[in-house]
Amino acid sequence: MRQILTFAAVGVVNTATYYCLYLLFLTGLPYLAAHILAFTLAMVGSFFLNARFTYRTPPTWRKFLLFPLTNVTNFVITTAGVYLIVDVLHAGSRFAPLVASAAAIPVTFVVSRWVMLPKSIA
């Protein structure tokens, strides 16, 4: 339970970091370049925060290179969730990403745990 709560807290920090960096880079870069750079830097920060605080494991190159799988997983589940909420359930689109993101946390947590602690889920 501690790990999933810490994972969620790191996610909040990661999102805030991404958004602040995005706004900063947007002052001198096109929006897409600002997004990519902010996303990449926030993901690197998320890796180290999760290694240190969530999983209490030393960072390695293997884990670092596999860590983007957690973001891909989150993106796929969140996108499918938004589609389901808006187009299938005909609910509003305003809060759909928040609901879908919350639903993605457990699956993203499992993938992240598999990357960071490979022997724990084998």
Side-chain angles (χ1 to χ4, degrees):
M1 187 58 148
R2 181 202 64 78
Q3 280 184 344
I4 200 157
L5 291 175
T6 306
F7 181 78
V10 167
V12 169
V13 170
N14 183 52
T15 301
T17 300
Y18 158 78
Y19 191 62
C20 288
L21 288 171
Y22 173 74
L23 292 177
L24 176 68
F25 295 146
L26 198 56
T27 62
L29 296 172
Y31 78 92
L32 195 53
H35 164 70
I36 291 168
L37 186 56
F39 185 87
T40 301
L41 291 174
M43 185 173 50
V44 170
S46 178
F47 168 75
F48 286 106
L49 288 173
N50 275 303
R52 172 71 172 99
F53 297 108
T54 305
Y55 301 112
R56 298 178 181 174
T57 184
T60 65
W61 279 108
R62 179 190 178 280
K63 293 173 192 174
F64 182 76
L65 294 173
L66 288 174
F67 193 74
L69 291 174
T70 65
N71 288 284
V72 170
T73 302
N74 188 299
F75 177 78
V76 168
I77 292 171
T78 302
T79 302
V82 168
Y83 172 79
L84 177 70
I85 292 166
V86 175
D87 287 339
V88 176
L89 300 177
H90 303 291
S93 60
R94 185 177 185 101
F95 295 106
L98 296 176
V99 174
S101 292
I105 289 173
V107 178
T108 306
F109 174 74
V110 170
V111 174
S112 175
R113 187 173 164 88
W114 173 77
V115 167
M116 302 301 273
L117 304 171
K119 294 176 185 138
S120 67
I121 305 257

